[in-house]
Amino acid sequence: MRRGLLTAALATPAVAAQPWPRVAPDQAGFAPDLAERLDHGIRSGLLRGLHGVLLAREGRILLERYDDGPDEEWGRPLGQVAMGPETLHDLRSVTKSVVGLLYGIALARGQVPPPEAPLYAQFPEYPDLAADPARAGMRVEHALSMTMGLRWDESVPYLDARNSEIAMEQAPDRRRYVLEQPMVTPPGARWTYSGGATALLGRLITRGSGQTLPDYAREVLFGPLGITRFAWQGRDPGEESAASGLRLTLRDLARIGELVRQGGVAEGRQLVPAEWIAASTRPVIATGDGLQYGRHWFLGRDAPGAGPPQPWIGGFGNGGQRLWVMPAAGLTLAIFAGRYNAPDGWISPTRVWREIVLPNLRP
């Protein structure tokens, strides 16, 4: 097996989180009443269920707001929660994008197989599945881009046992559940949103590193970024959900966005190989709703201010959890919300991005 094709990341000891510098919106190229516009949207009812909004430009915070509301912890109701800078919040499927970063770090360290490696060969505990010639063409790359070609359906609510991620979590063997699903398209032919793909990547990371996902993330990513408080939920200790289990503060989610915006660099240190960030944010396949997908990141284009459309990188999660990064404009927008399993949960965070942030960026 060929490993470590990327340049190894620099040694990354844990550091104290650097304080976020702040600047008034009009000093960062925005309309001065940006906060008032957000407040008006919330009071009018157009923006519903928001728990936190943090907008940064070139690493400086120009808008940060928290609103109390009912919340959950990986599906467990928490009741009314007082939100603030120190409040941990579900990322839900934004967790997938963080796991994508961890895979790039692990690859640089020679701990996981490269994208071109055969996927089923990495799971020799299932020889019956690996022997199926129809699955022989599946590569790790197909898990990274969610193009494995396996039957998978997360379109039904996550409260429904027919949802494939829920069925996976309830299965006696989660990896077998994913890998034994019927082939419905050739690998690489179609994008299918799949928490199962992320579960396989998480297993490769834990097997190669000999650590749990929380311990590995703490060592190679969170500690070096100054992230000291987080939680990672899962069915059992050591079986944390790679697809949806991570909880961070809003500022720390924004730190992840800033890391991506700067090509894997934080405080002058290359935490994630630049080659991996570039490959992860390069379009691989269309998602079918006007967006593209890379390696565990959504990709799109929107127009900031009166300028031409610029590419953005996004992590999306159930309930309205969002992370948008627009490198050309220097923007990072992190949003927490509590509209879990609501079909319209995507609307409010998208309005913040497209109707408040981007139109009010001055050319």
Side-chain angles (χ1 to χ4, degrees):
M1 178 188 298
R2 293 193 295 142
R3 297 176 182 261
L5 300 184
L6 301 178
T7 303
L10 299 177
T12 51
V15 298
Q18 296 299 310
W20 279 88
R22 294 178 176 273
V23 65
D26 57 332
Q27 294 178 318
F30 276 89
D33 61 345
L34 196 63
E36 288 82 356
R37 293 173 190 244
L38 176 63
D39 182 66
H40 176 74
I42 292 172
R43 287 188 288 105
S44 69
L46 290 174
L47 301 177
R48 302 170 57 202
L50 297 179
H51 288 166
V53 177
L54 190 155
L55 175 66
R57 190 171 198 194
E58 301 296 347
R60 300 177 298 171
I61 293 177
L62 51 144
L63 176 64
E64 184 176 19
R65 175 186 174 123
Y66 298 91
D67 288 277
D68 300 349
D71 201 18
E72 298 180 3
E73 183 177 23
W74 210 49
R76 179 176 65 88
L78 297 176
Q80 189 80 359
V81 174
M83 303 293 171
E86 300 302 317
T87 305
L88 293 179
H89 196 285
D90 277 12
L91 269 58
R92 297 297 172 99
S93 287
V94 185
T95 305
K96 295 177 172 68
S97 298
V98 176
V99 170
L101 297 178
L102 292 176
Y103 200 92
I105 296 171
L107 180 59
R109 295 179 172 217
Q111 296 169 320
V112 294
E116 64 270 21
L119 181 62
Y120 279 79
Q122 314 311 315
F123 297 91
E125 60 267 39
Y126 310 121
D128 56 320
L129 300 177
D132 183 354
R135 303 170 191 266
M138 201 181 302
R139 309 293 174 187
V140 172
E141 177 65 57
H142 297 126
L144 286 162
S145 60
M146 295 193 184
T147 58
M148 296 189 295
L150 299 175
R151 183 178 66 191
W152 200 265
D153 184 5
E154 295 189 36
S155 65
V156 296
Y158 289 89
L159 301 173
D160 192 324
R162 294 174 299 171
N163 181 294
S164 294
E165 183 179 331
I166 300 304
M168 172 185 69
E169 289 295 341
Q170 295 175 347
D173 185 332
R174 294 188 302 170
R175 267 77 65 179
R176 171 173 277 279
Y177 179 84
V178 178
L179 292 167
E180 71 183 3
Q181 294 302 304
M183 296 288 299
V184 293
T185 62
R190 188 176 73 191
W191 182 80
T192 301
Y193 188 71
S194 173
T198 316
L200 298 178
L201 298 175
R203 176 56 175 164
L204 294 178
I205 293 170
T206 59
R207 177 183 288 170
S209 67
Q211 298 175 268
T212 65
L213 278 176
D215 286 345
Y216 191 69
R218 181 183 294 108
E219 176 189 331
V220 305
L221 184 60
F222 295 164
L225 276 177
I227 297 174
T228 58
R229 293 183 61 253
F230 69 95
W232 206 317
Q233 305 299 319
R235 187 173 67 182
D236 300 297
E239 290 286 339
E240 290 80 13
S241 171
S244 60
L246 183 58
R247 290 169 62 80
L248 293 176
T249 68
L250 188 63
R251 291 179 183 176
D252 287 342
L253 176 58
R255 291 183 197 279
I256 298 290
E258 283 292 287
L259 178 70
V260 172
R261 183 181 70 82
Q262 297 180 96
V265 174
E267 300 296 329
R269 296 173 299 163
Q270 192 77 48
L271 302 186
V272 183
E275 309 99 293
W276 184 259
I277 296 290
S280 297
T281 58
R282 185 179 304 127
V284 173
I285 193 166
T287 64
D289 58 359
L291 302 181
Q292 299 283 324
Y293 203 71
R295 291 177 175 171
H296 270 48
W297 291 93
F298 288 94
L299 308 170
R301 298 177 69 87
D302 278 315
Q310 298 286 355
W312 55 256
I313 304 155
F316 297 171
N318 182 350
Q321 322 319 317
R322 291 294 186 271
L323 178 61
W324 273 287
V325 179
M326 184 176 277
L331 298 180
T332 293
L333 175 66
I335 295 179
F336 285 155
R339 301 274 296 156
Y340 303 107
N341 297 307
D344 63 352
W346 62 274
I347 293 178
S348 290
T350 302
R351 279 180 167 162
V352 173
W353 175 244
R354 290 184 173 171
E355 299 177 17
I356 294 179
V357 172
L358 295 182
N360 290 294
L361 177 60
R362 295 167 174 169

